[in-house]
Amino acid sequence: MAITATGYRNRLLAEAPALGIEVSKKQAEKIGIRIARRIESQTVEHDFYESLRILGVISDTTARDAVRNLEAAA
């Protein structure tokens, strides 16, 4: 379940006074949007075979070749 920018804004508005931080609704809105965008950009699903190629486990550029070579090596 992903938290939206509004959820982050509400959480900031609820938690900031307890920490002694003054945050206006407009500031909390901007910060909430920035947090939501940053988290969205960091939660990208990666291709398994591309990850293996990057790590140097396989050097094949296509998934079929990679599977074929892994099965042949096993």
Side-chain angles (χ1 to χ4, degrees):
M1 180 174 112
I3 299 176
T4 63
T6 304
Y8 287 115
R9 181 200 68 197
N10 293 340
R11 191 164 177 191
L12 281 166
L13 290 172
E15 298 293 329
L19 298 172
I21 302 169
E22 293 182 23
V23 179
S24 69
K25 287 185 179 183
K26 187 67 173 174
Q27 287 173 325
E29 180 91 26
K30 287 181 180 182
I31 294 169
I33 290 169
R34 289 176 62 193
I35 291 171
R37 285 182 183 160
R38 181 171 290 181
I39 289 177
E40 180 65 30
S41 72
Q42 294 177 358
T43 54
V44 176
E45 291 188 32
H46 299 284
D47 180 30
F48 176 72
Y49 294 108
E50 180 67 14
S51 299
L52 289 177
R53 190 183 66 71
I54 290 169
L55 291 173
V57 175
I58 57 174
S59 60
D60 302 312
T61 56
T62 64
R64 284 194 187 108
D65 291 339
V67 170
R68 190 177 313 118
N69 289 341
L70 287 172
E71 289 173 347

